[in-house]
Amino acid sequence: CLVGSEMCIRDSKEVICMRKYIALVLALILMLGLVGCKEKTVNIDFPFEVGDVETIELYRYAGAPVSAEKKVIDAEETIKDLYDRFEGLTLKLKEAEETTGAKITSFRFNLSDGTTYELIYGCYGVKTGNLKSSTGNFEYFTSADIGSYWNDIDLEAVSVEESELPK
């Protein structure tokens, strides 16, 4: 480009500038896309206070409900600990794939006004489960090991009938 060489230099600078601009715009679009794809998380917000809980009934079975067992918590400190654990959980708006033979751990909060609040955790694999509540009208995914709460409560377990289990 001998004739009009200044024009060739100016045009090549504009092309380089345009490429940088396009790369910047694409990078911004990509970043916004990744931020927008971040899973939304929620926490349980009980519609009652810990002081309203008289007892918590824990139920557990694996596979068939006929093998269900129950523990009853009435110690205020243990009730507060369990209440706080649930309020501190981070839950996600997705579902784990349900499989047969899942370990089910249920929690029935018996309240001082005579009502109950129920949570049911289905463990479908290592750190894979759904926490749902018909009384709270929700179902969320969690990687928390809620099933271990059963083992953390050092109380005697008794057998129960399937009709007694939370729904």
Side-chain angles (χ1 to χ4, degrees), residues 118-161:
E118 298 178 348
L119 295 171
I120 301 171
Y121 172 69
C123 180
Y124 304 107
V126 178
K127 293 194 172 195
T128 305
N130 287 338
L131 182 66
K132 61 184 172 181
S133 174
S134 58
T135 48
N137 198 27
F138 65 78
E139 182 169 353
Y140 297 114
F141 170 84
T142 182
S143 59
D145 187 11
I146 295 175
S148 70
Y149 295 3
W150 174 270
N151 297 329
D152 294 345
I153 306 299
D154 190 26
L155 294 170
E156 182 180 343
V158 296
S159 296
V160 295
E161 297 294 321

Side-chain angles (χ1 to χ4, degrees), residues 103-131:
K103 291 181 181 176
I104 305 297
T105 307
S106 304
F107 305 83
R108 180 178 289 142
F109 293 78
N110 297 306
L111 307 176
S112 57
D113 66 0
T115 61
T116 61
Y117 189 90
E118 298 178 348
L119 295 171
I120 301 171
Y121 172 69
C123 180
Y124 304 107
V126 178
K127 293 194 172 195
T128 305
N130 287 338
L131 182 66

Side-chain angles (χ1 to χ4, degrees), residues 41-77:
T41 60
V42 295
N43 295 88
I44 294 176
D45 185 20
F46 287 123
F48 54 88
E49 298 299 319
V50 68
D52 298 331
V53 181
E54 291 184 341
T55 62
I56 301 175
E57 299 170 7
L58 278 77
Y59 299 87
R60 184 169 191 180
Y61 65 89
V66 294
S67 65
E69 295 180 299
K70 170 181 164 179
K71 293 180 179 181
V72 179
I73 302 169
D74 58 4
E76 285 182 32
E77 185 176 315

